[in-house]
C-alpha cells in the first residue's frame, strides 16, 4: 500500500513538472501560431494518435466496464477541456506567465466550495486551533490581491488581460476533474479515456480552424507541447485513480504556479514577483492539507 502511495506521488510530481513545462511551451508557440484552435487541433490530434498506437500495442482488456457512464463522462469532459485549453492559450497569448500564475490558485478554492455544495461535506482539518481550509482560502485571496496591487504600481491596469480567462478556466476545471474521475473509474483503461478525450478535443477544435490552416505547416515546437501535455495528462489521470481529486488538483495548481513563474523568468526573462505567488501557493497547500 505504501508503494502505491509513493508511485502515485511520483506520478503527481512529474505531472506537475510537465504541466508547467507545457505552459511555457504553449507560451512559446502562441507567438508563432495565431489561432488557439489551430494549436489545440494539432496538439490534441498528435496526442490522440499516440494514444491509438498505445492501445494497439497494449491490446484489449477483459475488465468489465460501464460503457454508457464512460462515454457520457468522456464526451462531456472532452468538450469542456477544449474550452479550458482555448482559454489558457488565450491567456498565455495576452499576458506574461508570471502575471497570470497567481490566478491559478483560484481553482482549489472552487474545488473546495464545489465539494461542500455537491457532496454536502465541510471537512476542514484543525491544526493548532487553525482551520486550514478557511486559512487557505484567505491566503489565496490575499496572494491574488497582492499580485494585483504590485501590477498596479508597474502598469496602468492592475488586472492582467489573461486573468479573466484563467479565472473562467478554474471554474470549468471543477467539472472536468470530476468527470475525469468518473470516466477513469467506469472505463476499462486510462489510455482509452486519454485517447478518446484527445480525439474528441481535436474534432471539436476542427470546427474553429483558421481558413489557411491546411496550407501552412505548424512549428515543430507544437510537437513539444503535445509530448509534455500527453505525459502531464496521463500521469494526472493516473494520480487521480488513487489520490483524492482535490489533492491532485491542488498540487497541480500550487506547484504549477511556482514552476510556471520560474519558467517565465528563465525562458522569457520576465520580471517575477514571487511574494504573491508564494503566498497563493501556501494557501493552496493549506487547502490541500484540509
Amino acid at each position: 500500500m505504501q508503494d502505491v502511495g509513493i508511485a502515485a506521488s511520483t506520478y503527481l510530481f512529474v505531472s506537475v513538472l510537465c504541466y508547467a513545462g507545457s505552459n511555457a511551451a504553449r507560451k512559446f508557440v502562441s507567438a508563432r501560431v495565431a489561432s488557439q484552435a489551430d494549436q489545440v487541433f494539432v496538439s490534441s490530434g498528435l496526442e490522440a494518435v499516440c494514444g491509438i498506437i498505445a492501445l494497439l500495442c497494449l491490446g484489449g482488456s477483459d475488465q468489465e466496464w460501464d460503457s454508457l457512464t464512460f462515454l457520457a463522462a468522456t464526451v462531456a469532459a472532452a468538450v469542456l477541456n477544449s474550452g479550458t485549453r482555448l482559454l489558457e492559450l488565450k491567456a498565455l497569448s495576452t499576458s506574461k506567465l508570471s502575471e497570470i500564475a497567481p490566478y491559478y490558485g483560484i481553482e482549489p478554492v472552487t474545488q473546495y466550495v464545489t465539494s461542500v455544495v455537491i457532496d454536502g461535506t465541510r471537512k476542514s482539518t484543525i491544526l493548532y486551533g487553525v482551520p486550514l481550509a478557511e486559512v487557505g482560502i484567505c491566503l489565496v485571496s490575499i496572494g491574488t490581491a497582492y499580485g494585483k496591487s504590485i501590477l498596479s504600481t508597474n502598469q496602468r491596469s492592475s488586472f492582467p488581460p489573461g486573468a479573466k480567462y484563467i479565472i473562467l478556466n478554474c471554474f470549468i476545471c471543477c467539472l472536468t476533474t470530476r468527470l475525469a474521475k468518473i470516466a477513469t473509474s467506469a472505463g476499462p483503461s486510462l489510455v482509452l479515456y486519454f485517447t478518446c478525450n484527445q480525439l474528441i478535443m481535436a474534432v471539436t477544435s476542427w470546427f474553429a480552424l483558421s481558413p489557411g490552416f491546411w496550407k501552412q505547416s505548424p512549428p515543430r515546437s507544437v510537437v513539444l507541447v503535445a509530448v509534455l501535455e500527453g505525459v502531464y495528462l496521463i500521469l494526472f489521470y493516473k494520480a487521480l485513480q488513487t489520490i483524492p481529486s482535490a489533492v491532485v488538483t491542488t498540487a497541480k495548481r500550487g506547484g504549477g504556479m511556482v514552476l510556471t513563474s520560474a519558467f517565465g523568468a528563465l525562458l522569457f526573462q520576465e520580471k517575477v514577483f514571487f511574494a504573491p505567488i508564494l503566498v497563493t501557493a501556501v494557501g493552496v497547500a493549506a487547502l490541500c492539507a484540509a
Side-chain angles (χ1 to χ4, degrees), residues 115-213:
S115 66
V116 171
V117 173
I118 295 179
D119 300 333
T121 57
R122 185 178 179 274
K123 181 180 76 69
S124 180
T125 302
I126 306 297
L127 183 63
Y128 298 111
V130 178
L132 293 182
E134 286 75 5
V135 169
I137 292 173
C138 289
L139 287 175
V140 168
S141 301
I142 292 170
T144 305
Y146 186 16
K148 286 182 64 179
S149 66
I150 291 177
L151 286 174
S152 65
T153 61
N154 292 274
Q155 300 176 1
R156 291 183 178 179
S157 175
S158 63
F159 196 71
K164 57 180 177 291
Y165 302 115
I166 297 300
I167 292 172
L168 181 57
N169 174 292
C170 290
F171 279 96
I172 298 175
C173 280
C174 286
L175 297 175
T176 59
T177 301
R178 285 179 171 269
L179 288 169
K181 190 152 191 174
I182 292 171
T184 53
S185 299
S189 74
L190 180 64
V191 178
L192 179 62
Y193 169 74
F194 170 78
T195 305
C196 291
N197 194 280
Q198 299 308 308
L199 189 59
I200 295 170
M201 286 177 64
V203 172
T204 303
S205 59
W206 179 77
F207 292 100
L209 291 177
S210 59
F213 173 79

Side-chain angles (χ1 to χ4, degrees), residues 21 34 39 59 66 69 96 109 121 149 163 178 181 228 244 263 273 275:
Q39 296 178 55
D66 187 344
T69 301
K96 296 179 180 180
V109 177
T121 57
S149 66
R178 285 179 171 269
K181 190 152 191 174
L228 290 171
F263 282 136
F273 301 98

Side-chain angles (χ1 to χ4, degrees), residues 39-148:
Q39 296 178 55
V40 174
F41 177 76
V42 174
S43 59
S44 297
L46 288 172
E47 291 162 23
V49 170
C50 293
I52 292 171
I53 294 173
L55 285 173
L56 293 174
C57 294
L58 293 173
S61 173
D62 297 330
Q63 177 184 339
E64 294 184 1
W65 56 297
D66 187 344
S67 59
L68 182 60
T69 301
F70 173 78
L71 290 174
T74 301
V75 171
V79 173
L80 290 173
N81 277 332
S82 296
T84 59
R85 192 172 293 186
L86 287 170
L87 288 170
E88 276 195 308
L89 290 172
K90 185 69 174 176
L92 290 168
S93 65
T94 56
S95 299
K96 296 179 180 180
L97 289 172
S98 54
E99 290 179 349
I100 60 176
Y103 293 91
Y104 281 111
I106 294 175
E107 184 182 343
V109 177
T110 59
Q111 289 279 2
Y112 176 75
V113 173
T114 301
S115 66
V116 171
V117 173
I118 295 179
D119 300 333
T121 57
R122 185 178 179 274
K123 181 180 76 69
S124 180
T125 302
I126 306 297
L127 183 63
Y128 298 111
V130 178
L132 293 182
E134 286 75 5
V135 169
I137 292 173
C138 289
L139 287 175
V140 168
S141 301
I142 292 170
T144 305
Y146 186 16
K148 286 182 64 179

Side-chain angles (χ1 to χ4, degrees), residues 9-26 224-225 227-233 235-236 248 251-263 266-267:
S9 299
T10 304
Y11 295 148
L12 185 56
F13 173 76
V14 179
S15 172
V16 171
L17 187 61
C18 290
Y19 167 72
S22 68
N23 279 341
R26 280 184 291 179
L224 176 61
V225 174
V227 171
L228 290 171
E229 283 184 347
V231 174
Y232 144 60
L233 287 169
L235 296 181
F236 179 75
V248 174
K252 183 190 81 171
R253 289 308 192 194
M257 276 191 298
V258 177
L259 289 173
T260 297
S261 298
F263 282 136
L266 292 172
L267 301 178

